[in-house]
mmCIF file of all heavy atoms in Angstrom:
data_model
loop_
_atom_site.group_PDB
_atom_site.id
_atom_site.type_symbol
_atom_site.label_atom_id
_atom_site.label_comp_id
_atom_site.label_asym_id
_atom_site.label_seq_id
_atom_site.Cartn_x
_atom_site.Cartn_y
_atom_site.Cartn_z
ATOM 1 N N GLU A 42 67.553 28.302 -120.053
ATOM 2 C CA GLU A 42 68.101 27.023 -120.504
ATOM 3 C C GLU A 42 69.030 27.201 -121.700
ATOM 4 O O GLU A 42 69.120 28.271 -122.290
ATOM 5 C CB GLU A 42 66.960 26.072 -120.880
ATOM 6 C CG GLU A 42 66.045 25.736 -119.715
ATOM 7 C CD GLU A 42 65.017 24.695 -120.090
ATOM 8 O OE1 GLU A 42 65.158 24.046 -121.153
ATOM 9 O OE2 GLU A 42 64.064 24.526 -119.307
ATOM 10 N N GLY A 43 69.716 26.129 -122.034
ATOM 11 C CA GLY A 43 70.543 26.132 -123.231
ATOM 12 C C GLY A 43 69.710 25.919 -124.475
ATOM 13 O O GLY A 43 68.489 25.838 -124.419
ATOM 14 N N LEU A 44 70.383 25.840 -125.614
ATOM 15 C CA LEU A 44 69.687 25.644 -126.874
ATOM 16 C C LEU A 44 69.369 24.166 -127.074
ATOM 17 O O LEU A 44 70.189 23.292 -126.777
ATOM 18 C CB LEU A 44 70.544 26.129 -128.048
ATOM 19 C CG LEU A 44 70.528 27.617 -128.316
ATOM 20 C CD1 LEU A 44 71.350 28.352 -127.291
ATOM 21 C CD2 LEU A 44 71.047 27.912 -129.716
ATOM 22 N N GLN A 45 68.180 23.920 -127.610
ATOM 23 C CA GLN A 45 67.794 22.557 -127.947
ATOM 24 C C GLN A 45 67.464 22.512 -129.432
ATOM 25 O O GLN A 45 66.838 23.437 -129.954
ATOM 26 C CB GLN A 45 66.535 22.137 -127.179
ATOM 27 C CG GLN A 45 66.639 22.222 -125.687
ATOM 28 C CD GLN A 45 65.299 21.955 -125.028
ATOM 29 O OE1 GLN A 45 64.437 21.269 -125.586
ATOM 30 N NE2 GLN A 45 65.102 22.498 -123.835
ATOM 31 N N LEU A 46 67.858 21.435 -130.081
ATOM 32 C CA LEU A 46 67.507 21.282 -131.477
ATOM 33 C C LEU A 46 66.000 21.076 -131.609
ATOM 34 O O LEU A 46 65.436 20.199 -130.966
ATOM 35 C CB LEU A 46 68.244 20.091 -132.095
ATOM 36 C CG LEU A 46 67.937 19.828 -133.557
ATOM 37 C CD1 LEU A 46 68.465 20.969 -134.425
ATOM 38 C CD2 LEU A 46 68.548 18.497 -134.003
ATOM 39 N N LEU A 47 65.365 21.891 -132.443
ATOM 40 C CA LEU A 47 63.930 21.754 -132.675
ATOM 41 C C LEU A 47 63.673 20.907 -133.919
ATOM 42 O O LEU A 47 62.886 19.969 -133.888
ATOM 43 C CB LEU A 47 63.298 23.142 -132.835
ATOM 44 C CG LEU A 47 61.792 23.194 -133.077
ATOM 45 C CD1 LEU A 47 61.035 22.556 -131.924
ATOM 46 C CD2 LEU A 47 61.342 24.624 -133.290
ATOM 47 N N LEU A 48 64.344 21.240 -135.018
ATOM 48 C CA LEU A 48 64.209 20.454 -136.242
ATOM 49 C C LEU A 48 65.358 20.777 -137.174
ATOM 50 O O LEU A 48 66.075 21.762 -136.983
ATOM 51 C CB LEU A 48 62.855 20.707 -136.915
ATOM 52 C CG LEU A 48 62.472 22.146 -137.223
ATOM 53 C CD1 LEU A 48 63.049 22.625 -138.541
ATOM 54 C CD2 LEU A 48 60.942 22.291 -137.269
ATOM 55 N N LYS A 49 65.506 19.928 -138.189
ATOM 56 C CA LYS A 49 66.610 20.136 -139.120
ATOM 57 C C LYS A 49 66.243 19.613 -140.494
ATOM 58 O O LYS A 49 65.296 18.828 -140.647
ATOM 59 C CB LYS A 49 67.870 19.437 -138.629
ATOM 60 C CG LYS A 49 67.778 17.927 -138.632
ATOM 61 C CD LYS A 49 69.080 17.297 -138.163
ATOM 62 C CE LYS A 49 68.999 15.783 -138.188
ATOM 63 N NZ LYS A 49 70.242 15.148 -137.693
ATOM 64 N N ALA A 50 66.994 20.076 -141.501
ATOM 65 C CA ALA A 50 66.865 19.581 -142.868
ATOM 66 C C ALA A 50 68.256 19.600 -143.486
ATOM 67 O O ALA A 50 68.990 20.579 -143.330
ATOM 68 C CB ALA A 50 65.894 20.440 -143.672
ATOM 69 N N THR A 51 68.602 18.549 -144.169
ATOM 70 C CA THR A 51 69.982 18.422 -144.649
ATOM 71 C C THR A 51 70.133 18.641 -146.142
ATOM 72 O O THR A 51 71.256 18.774 -146.629
ATOM 73 C CB THR A 51 70.563 17.058 -144.270
ATOM 74 O OG1 THR A 51 69.723 16.049 -144.832
ATOM 75 C CG2 THR A 51 70.636 16.888 -142.769
ATOM 76 N N LYS A 52 69.029 18.676 -146.905
ATOM 77 C CA LYS A 52 69.175 18.943 -148.337
ATOM 78 C C LYS A 52 67.913 19.619 -148.853
ATOM 79 O O LYS A 52 66.871 19.645 -148.202
ATOM 80 C CB LYS A 52 69.438 17.646 -149.096
ATOM 81 C CG LYS A 52 68.360 16.604 -149.008
ATOM 82 C CD LYS A 52 68.798 15.355 -149.756
ATOM 83 C CE LYS A 52 67.680 14.322 -149.843
ATOM 84 N NZ LYS A 52 67.229 13.869 -148.522
ATOM 85 N N ALA A 53 68.029 20.161 -150.032
ATOM 86 C CA ALA A 53 66.945 20.937 -150.637
ATOM 87 C C ALA A 53 65.652 20.123 -150.698
ATOM 88 O O ALA A 53 65.671 18.924 -150.980
ATOM 89 C CB ALA A 53 67.355 21.385 -152.033
ATOM 90 N N ASP A 54 64.551 20.798 -150.378
ATOM 91 C CA ASP A 54 63.180 20.264 -150.382
ATOM 92 C C ASP A 54 62.873 19.353 -149.190
ATOM 93 O O ASP A 54 61.734 18.899 -149.058
ATOM 94 C CB ASP A 54 62.864 19.526 -151.684
ATOM 95 C CG ASP A 54 62.952 20.439 -152.889
ATOM 96 O OD1 ASP A 54 62.606 21.621 -152.756
ATOM 97 O OD2 ASP A 54 63.394 19.977 -153.945
ATOM 98 N N ASP A 55 63.858 19.086 -148.341
ATOM 99 C CA ASP A 55 63.576 18.348 -147.105
ATOM 100 C C ASP A 55 62.675 19.189 -146.218
ATOM 101 O O ASP A 55 62.813 20.408 -146.140
ATOM 102 C CB ASP A 55 64.870 18.070 -146.338
ATOM 103 C CG ASP A 55 65.513 16.769 -146.737
ATOM 104 O OD1 ASP A 55 64.982 16.075 -147.621
ATOM 105 O OD2 ASP A 55 66.566 16.445 -146.150
ATOM 106 N N LYS A 56 61.781 18.523 -145.499
ATOM 107 C CA LYS A 56 60.965 19.203 -144.489
ATOM 108 C C LYS A 56 61.324 18.628 -143.133
ATOM 109 O O LYS A 56 61.236 17.410 -142.913
ATOM 110 C CB LYS A 56 59.484 19.001 -144.766
ATOM 111 C CG LYS A 56 58.592 19.648 -143.705
ATOM 112 C CD LYS A 56 57.122 19.318 -143.899
ATOM 113 C CE LYS A 56 56.507 20.139 -144.995
ATOM 114 N NZ LYS A 56 55.028 19.979 -145.057
#
Side-chain angles (χ1 to χ4, degrees):
Chain A
E42 298 186 14
L44 279 75
Q45 303 173 26
L46 179 67
L47 180 60
L48 54 84
K49 67 179 181 182
T51 58
K52 61 183 187 299
D54 298 325
D55 270 1
K56 178 186 282 189

